[in-house]
Amino acid sequence: MAAASYLPSEDQFLCSICLELFTDPVSTSCGHNFCKDCITEHWDTRDRCQCPMCKKEFNTRPELHVNTFISEMVAQFRQSAQQKASSSSSSSSEQQVFKPGEVPCDVCTETKLKALKSCLVCLTSYCETHLKPHLTKSGLKRHQLIDPVENLEDRMCPKHDKPLELFCKTDQTCVCILCHVSDHKMHELVPLKEGYEGKKGALGKKEARIQKMIQKRQLKIEEIKHSVDLSKEEADREIAEGVQVFTALKESFERGQANLINTIKEKQKTTENQAEDFIKELEQEISQLKKRSAKVEHLSRSKDHLHLLQGVQSLNIQHPSPTKDWTKVSISPSSYEGTVVRAVVQLEETFSKEMKKLIEAELKRVQSYAVDVTLDPDTAHPNLILSDDGKQVRDGDVLKNLPDNPERFSENYCVLGKQSFSSGRFYFEVQVKRKADWDLGVATESIDRKGVIELAPWCGFWSLWLRDGNEYEALDGLSVRLSLKFRPQKVGVFVDYEEGLVSFYDVDAAALIYSFTGCSFTEKLYPYFYPGLKCGRKNAAPLIITPVT
């Protein structure tokens, strides 16, 4: 019974090739045992047939038969080990049990425990229990152990079946010791640790660059969100102002409509009251006349001479009672001429007041996008004279000898601003006082500057002009004649690049002169100026870029 209870140690049932419990154990003629598949594969991959343990060579491959005794002992040991593992699993600490994210022991069959080490020779990871043979057996002590890792096959050289211990800086790849003397003989090789430290430093710098890029993009996200918030605030403000204006106009319209209806109704009521008074008076006279008629008729039928004469005397027929002369009395229909017109004129005055308030608020907003514009002498026609500060331009009436560079206008007496704009909004103001001719606006960078130029959007110009002192036109394809109440002394130019908007304002009158809408800008825009020909003293005043106040 004592012998029956004896159970050999696990080391006695480990295959020396796979280092695991025997599977279909077979014995060689030299007395050593191996898994049938392990020894078969071992001999299949080698030229000579020899025992892996004692190195005895066989002239012919031995015929292998399963050792039933050892097979039964292994099965008994496996069953006992499973029972022992099952009974002791409850006492294992939680730190030893394999958890997600950790490397499991490859030998454990039931409850997978956490691996403590991985063997680069066996290509197996071991828990504390299954690691003991590598710490005690002399043959296994020579194996290279590392901290537990997964996919151990990836750490072996696929060509030489050796651990990847070196880093080839020439090919930027990991190699084994045999690669050093074959494919990478003349290459610069360093230990994995040195290559690791170099790459780690480079990765650190790259990580810093990536983090900087992330921070920039996070800042850009915040910038975009802030822009959206500002846009929403502006939209809410525009809606509030629009609702306020339209509410005022609606109330004014309703008030004007009510006043118009009341005025007409009051006139009609007056006519009706007058007619009622006349009718009442006429009805009273008719009643009196009917009574008198009845008396006359009754007296006329009397045959009593005395009675008739006395009755006639009492009726006073010779002098009848006075009555009103109705021939000159009439009721004319009420006159409503001008009533509707006056109501509409009053409504128009109210609308103009509200419109002026709206334009004043809009002008104040666009003035917040004011930019400092100066004239570019390299673009100015040779006849033009520019001030030293680059803020004034006029016709000099004399052709100067200037280099004909590509930027300079050769025929049109024009000049562009130095500053260019390819996004956002910008605004500038120009004094046009005492001038009879001028052009103002913006132009694209690619406009034709040689020869006669057509000022149209499809040629890259969005501009407004004055001719002969009183003819204002917007050059929007076909010229649009403008009827202005006042002659502008200072003109403001506003551009919203993304919105495709170019607007011109009479600054002093706080009035919108004209707007180009739906424009499509794809390149840089420059402020554009034409001071007009001098024509004696008629148009001698300069165009002046003034500060926005």
Side-chain angles (χ1 to χ4, degrees), residues 157-223:
C157 176
K159 185 175 182 179
H160 301 107
D161 201 24
K162 294 289 184 181
L164 298 173
E165 300 176 305
L166 301 173
F167 178 71
C168 177
K169 297 179 74 174
T170 306
D171 292 341
Q172 294 291 301
T173 185
C174 297
V175 298
C176 71
I177 192 69
L178 295 181
C179 292
H180 179 30
V181 296
S182 58
D183 299 338
H184 300 263
K185 187 173 183 180
M186 304 302 295
H187 293 180
E188 183 181 1
L189 300 174
V190 296
L192 281 182
K193 184 177 181 181
E194 184 177 337
Y196 160 83
E197 291 174 350
K199 288 295 182 183
K200 187 175 182 180
L203 287 174
K205 293 179 180 179
K206 186 172 184 179
E207 174 66 14
R209 289 196 299 269
I210 293 174
Q211 289 299 325
K212 193 172 182 179
M213 293 171 66
I214 291 173
Q215 290 175 1
K216 286 184 178 179
R217 281 151 181 78
Q218 288 175 337
L219 290 175
K220 180 58 68 174
I221 289 174
E222 295 302 319
E223 179 184 333

Side-chain angles (χ1 to χ4, degrees), residues 258-504:
N259 291 338
L260 173 65
I261 293 172
N262 289 337
T263 300
I264 294 174
K265 284 185 175 181
E266 285 177 1
K267 285 189 176 183
Q268 176 63 18
K269 187 65 175 177
T270 300
T271 301
E272 290 177 356
N273 291 340
Q274 186 180 20
E276 289 176 0
D277 291 341
F278 285 155
I279 292 172
K280 186 175 180 181
E281 189 175 351
L282 284 168
E283 287 176 345
Q284 288 177 352
E285 289 190 5
I286 289 172
S287 178
Q288 291 175 359
L289 290 172
K290 282 182 177 181
K291 290 179 181 179
R292 190 176 181 85
S293 175
K295 288 181 180 180
V296 170
E297 183 183 0
H298 177 72
L299 187 61
S300 65
R301 291 175 182 166
S302 175
K303 295 182 178 181
D304 187 335
H305 299 159
L306 180 62
H307 180 263
L308 187 144
L309 291 173
Q310 290 176 340
V312 169
Q313 187 177 1
S314 63
L315 289 173
N316 196 10
I317 293 176
Q318 301 298 328
H319 303 283
S321 58
T323 56
K324 190 171 183 177
D325 184 6
W326 290 97
T327 58
K328 297 181 179 181
V329 176
S330 65
I331 298 294
S332 300
S334 298
S335 176
Y336 303 111
E337 285 78 4
T339 306
V340 176
V341 173
R342 286 191 295 273
V344 172
V345 168
Q346 187 175 1
L347 184 61
E348 185 179 12
E349 290 176 354
T350 303
F351 179 81
S352 297
K353 290 179 182 178
E354 293 296 331
M355 191 66 183
K356 185 173 179 61
K357 291 180 184 178
L358 194 62
I359 296 297
E360 286 175 348
E362 180 180 327
L363 181 58
K364 187 175 181 180
R365 280 199 301 275
V366 301
Q367 285 177 329
S368 66
Y369 298 101
V371 294
D372 184 19
V373 173
T374 53
L375 302 172
D376 185 359
D378 291 337
T379 66
H381 185 276
N383 264 56
L384 298 181
I385 296 178
L386 277 58
S387 62
D388 293 338
D389 63 357
K391 296 294 184 179
Q392 301 185 26
V393 58
R394 62 182 176 86
D395 177 20
D397 210 15
V398 176
L399 188 65
K400 298 190 293 293
N401 185 19
L402 296 175
D404 187 22
N405 51 287
E407 297 84 7
R408 193 179 306 282
F409 290 96
S410 64
E411 295 292 334
N412 289 48
Y413 288 19
C414 308
V415 62
L416 299 180
K418 282 186 178 180
Q419 293 72 24
S420 65
F421 306 90
S422 55
S423 64
R425 303 165 182 170
F426 64 94
Y427 173 86
F428 60 94
E429 293 179 352
V430 181
Q431 180 179 301
V432 296
K433 186 187 297 184
R434 300 191 305 276
K435 293 197 63 63
D437 287 1
W438 52 258
D439 296 357
L440 285 176
V442 292
T444 58
E445 185 176 28
S446 63
I447 55 172
D448 187 8
R449 309 183 191 200
K450 308 301 179 183
V452 179
I453 300 170
E454 182 180 5
L455 300 178
W458 56 76
C459 296
F461 291 89
W462 291 265
S463 59
L464 199 73
W465 78 14
L466 168 66
R467 294 292 182 268
D468 299 327
N470 58 6
E471 295 180 6
Y472 294 92
E473 291 186 9
L475 307 179
D476 196 353
L478 297 175
S479 296
V480 180
R481 294 292 295 270
L482 303 174
S483 178
L484 306 182
K485 291 183 178 181
F486 307 101
R487 183 174 177 177
Q489 303 297 300
K490 187 185 293 184
V491 176
V493 182
F494 172 70
V495 176
D496 187 328
Y497 195 97
E498 283 75 19
E499 190 69 21
L501 173 70
V502 182
S503 295
F504 298 85

Side-chain angles (χ1 to χ4, degrees), residues 88-105:
S88 63
S89 61
S90 58
S91 62
S92 298
S93 63
E94 290 186 2
Q95 288 76 12
Q96 292 177 325
V97 177
F98 158 68
K99 297 177 182 177
E102 296 177 339
V103 178
C105 175

Side-chain angles (χ1 to χ4, degrees), residues 72-100:
E72 290 175 359
M73 291 293 292
V74 168
Q76 184 180 358
F77 176 82
R78 193 188 303 275
Q79 183 179 2
S80 176
Q82 289 176 352
Q83 292 175 353
K84 182 178 180 181
S86 176
S87 62
S88 63
S89 61
S90 58
S91 62
S92 298
S93 63
E94 290 186 2
Q95 288 76 12
Q96 292 177 325
V97 177
F98 158 68
K99 297 177 182 177

